[in-house]
Amino acid sequence: MDARVMTPNDLNWPPAGECDSVPYGVFNDPEVFDREMELIYQGPTWNFLGLAAEVPNAGDYKATFIGDIPVVVTRDNDGQIYAWENRCAHRGALVVRDNCGSSDGSHTCVYHQWSFNNQGDLIGVPFRRGLGGNGGMPDDFDMQDYPLRKIRVEDYNGAVFGTFDWDMEDVDTYLGGDSSVNDHVKRIFNRPVKVLGHARQYIDSNWKFYAENTKDPYHASLLHLFHMTFGLYRSSQTGGVRLSNDWNTVLFSESGTDSDESLKETSDAHLRTYQAGDYSLEDMSLLAGRAGEWNDNTTLVILSIMPSLVIQQIQNTLAVRQIVPKNEKEFELVWTYFGYEDDDPELDAIRLKQINLIGPAGMISMEDGESSVICQQAISRSRDARNVLQMGGKTAEDQDHLVTETTIRGFWKKYRELMAY
Ligand code: FES
Ligand SMILES: [Fe+2]
């Protein structure tokens, strides 16, 4: 059924072309969620599936999701990465039931043991020719007709994306082509990476509250007291926001560069307390990273690649976050921490220690999940009322400062386009 017919556009949107406000119904309506799974996640988008480093060898596989649809990413003997929907071609069971592993080249459904190769083609059906003259599949049954639903895959500098839309432009174009977003992705994925670990958190919120959060420099110095206290991020710092394809965005800043000198306590403010010196860490080595690792002064980069990916650098930590929507009021957030294959032992140690800043219980990022939850709690019965997204103007464009919601406006602009609202 056409989702555009299935779901009437009865939300209280502002006039077409305006993106400085959205009705809360987009956050709590199951029909809106169904429409997103159809028009966004199975539509013209590239969805993050994982790091190529998570399936380094032939036979390696990883289970993940596009939207709420289970998918599996594999590496085959040809060295290429493949992905398919994790739904058995027989009667619909999950074929792969663990998060990751390594196979001998076949994936067997536990229910009736149909088996599929790494590329998702059917290679075995028990009792296909019957047993003792009984049963079996009809003569015209051809295994070639029953592959798993295949997903188009692209490995973009080590970040693996998938799409159900086989007519999509390539990932580079989707990210923005010759854009600041692409530059920042390539800056982080500038050489082979290695996985340091994972964390998962389940958040009682619509996935879009979190998408807004990852595009929101406005909150960063206000909600995250750790940022402010230890000078990792302040709204006065040198930094800015860039948009591409409307809803792919990057926020970046340089710590220790407050544009208003009156806000800066000392020249090494990133190691000093900011609020009257009341707070300090037992172990300040947490903040003693390695400066200039990327041969620039950028200390914070938050790339938000819609619909499902966040790529981040905070100080020396690197991580990707995958947003996995479950329904209109729940999503899972999957963190993958990484470094580079050629990191020296000291840098390994720095990255591992600074992971304390991020993740589900991270001193910086813990509040982001909670901010999404308190929004969801408050809008449970709000449908027509709208939020306000006017910090830094009413339109969506690049800005050379951090006091703005322009990137969130870009998100909603593209969202309305894809959802035909
Ligand atoms: S459902 Fe998978 S083999 Fe039957
Ligand atoms: Fe945040």
Side-chain angles (χ1 to χ4, degrees):
M1 184 189 296
D2 184 345
R4 289 165 210 247
V5 175
M6 184 175 71
T7 309
N9 180 11
D10 62 350
L11 293 173
N12 182 33
W13 287 97
E18 294 183 14
C19 55
D20 61 340
S21 178
V22 301
Y24 289 118
V26 294
F27 297 106
N28 58 21
D29 183 337
E31 289 191 354
V32 171
F33 182 84
D34 288 345
R35 189 176 170 112
E36 290 167 351
M37 294 306 112
E38 194 75 31
L39 298 183
I40 295 180
Y41 286 91
Q42 294 180 87
T45 55
W46 279 105
N47 294 269
F48 180 71
L49 300 177
L51 298 176
E54 291 180 274
V55 287
N57 303 308
D60 290 350
Y61 64 88
K62 174 197 171 179
T64 182
F65 290 87
I66 292 180
D68 61 351
I69 301 169
V71 304
V72 174
V73 181
T74 65
R75 192 182 291 273
D76 203 3
N77 294 330
D78 60 0
Q80 300 299 306
I81 295 175
Y82 296 87
W84 26 267
E85 186 172 346
N86 192 5
R87 183 198 69 207
C88 184
H90 179 218
R91 298 244 299 275
L94 284 173
V95 177
V96 170
R97 295 180 299 141
D98 43 9
N99 281 336
C100 60
S102 191
S103 81
D104 59 2
S106 68
H107 302 270
T108 302
C109 176
V110 70
Y111 201 171
H112 314 88
Q113 311 220 343
W114 284 30
S115 60
F116 303 86
N117 65 19
N118 286 329
Q119 299 189 26
D121 295 312
L122 180 59
I123 54 174
V125 173
F127 308 135
R128 179 157 58 104
R129 296 191 176 80
L131 192 62
N134 295 320
M137 300 300 269
D139 290 343
D140 64 355
F141 179 83
D142 185 345
M143 289 201 294
Q144 285 186 12
D145 294 339
Y146 300 96
L148 298 169
R149 182 188 181 193
K150 297 192 179 188
I151 294 163
R152 188 174 147 209
V153 169
E154 191 177 323
D155 175 354
Y156 186 78
N157 294 9
V160 179
F161 294 85
T163 180
F164 286 110
D165 183 346
W166 287 79
D167 297 325
M168 274 293 288
E169 69 250 27
D170 62 15
V171 171
D172 193 67
T173 307
Y174 179 73
L175 294 180
D178 184 20
S179 83
S180 184
V181 168
N182 298 57
D183 292 345
H184 275 281
V185 173
K186 289 175 189 162
R187 171 181 172 276
I188 288 179
F189 287 100
N190 64 7
R191 59 193 191 278
V193 304
K194 65 180 176 188
V195 176
L196 300 179
H198 293 91
R200 291 167 179 265
Q201 64 188 120
Y202 215 87
I203 297 178
D204 291 327
S205 152
N206 185 282
W207 67 277
K208 299 188 297 300
F209 275 129
Y210 196 81
E212 285 191 323
N213 175 278
T214 67
K215 297 172 176 294
D216 178 18
Y218 183 21
H219 84 281
S221 66
L222 301 168
L223 175 70
H224 300 300
L225 293 181
F226 190 93
H227 260 162
M228 264 260 291
T229 304
F230 297 100
L232 300 184
Y233 179 99
R234 290 198 282 263
S235 298
S236 53
Q237 286 167 354
T238 300
V241 294
R242 300 287 182 269
L243 295 80
S244 71
N245 196 13
D246 282 331
W247 69 349
N248 296 323
T249 57
V250 58
L251 326 178
F252 54 93
S253 73
E254 302 175 5
S255 61
T257 58
D258 299 72
S259 47
D260 180 350
E261 286 301 306
S262 67
L263 285 173
K264 195 172 172 185
E265 188 182 78
T266 72
S267 61
D268 62 343
H270 60 293
L271 293 179
R272 300 294 175 84
T273 56
Y274 174 60
Q275 293 182 315
D278 288 345
Y279 298 96
S280 66
L281 296 173
E282 284 287 327
D283 181 359
M284 290 298 279
S285 70
L286 175 64
L287 300 175
R290 183 178 292 180
E293 189 191 334
W294 287 268
N295 299 317
D296 55 30
N297 298 319
T298 304
T299 51
L300 178 136
V301 174
I302 307 290
L303 280 149
S304 177
I305 309 299
M306 298 317 298
S308 58
L309 171 64
V310 180
I311 305 171
Q312 67 173 62
Q313 173 217 339
I314 298 179
Q315 305 295 103
N316 296 105
T317 67
L318 295 167
V320 287
R321 304 177 222 165
Q322 184 187 5
I323 297 171
V324 183
K326 295 300 176 188
N327 54 50
E328 75 281 7
K329 51 190 173 189
E330 292 170 292
F331 70 95
E332 187 172 23
L333 189 63
V334 182
W335 296 75
T336 303
Y337 309 111
F338 62 95
Y340 298 108
E341 274 182 8
D342 61 4
D343 284 348
D344 57 59
E346 183 189 68
L347 201 45
D348 275 341
I350 289 170
R351 292 202 212 284
L352 287 174
K353 186 175 279 188
Q354 287 188 353
I355 282 174
N356 287 294
L357 298 173
I358 60 175
M363 282 180 274
I364 292 172
S365 53
M366 184 167 51
E367 297 96 340
D368 291 321
E370 185 63 12
S371 70
S372 299
V373 171
I374 61 175
C375 289
Q376 194 69 36
Q377 288 174 338
I379 58 91
S380 58
R381 289 292 156 198
S382 304
R383 184 174 178 85
D384 291 344
R386 297 188 197 135
N387 65 7
V388 180
L389 298 166
Q390 296 189 1
M391 184 57 65
K394 294 186 176 184
T395 54
E397 71 247 320
D398 295 354
Q399 291 180 344
D400 290 323
H401 61 80
L402 299 161
V403 195
T404 185
E405 291 170 317
T406 183
T407 30
I408 303 176
R409 290 189 290 274
F411 168 75
W412 288 112
K413 191 174 158 199
K414 182 73 175 183
Y415 178 90
R416 289 184 70 171
E417 178 192 317
L418 282 182
M419 293 281 282
Y421 278 142

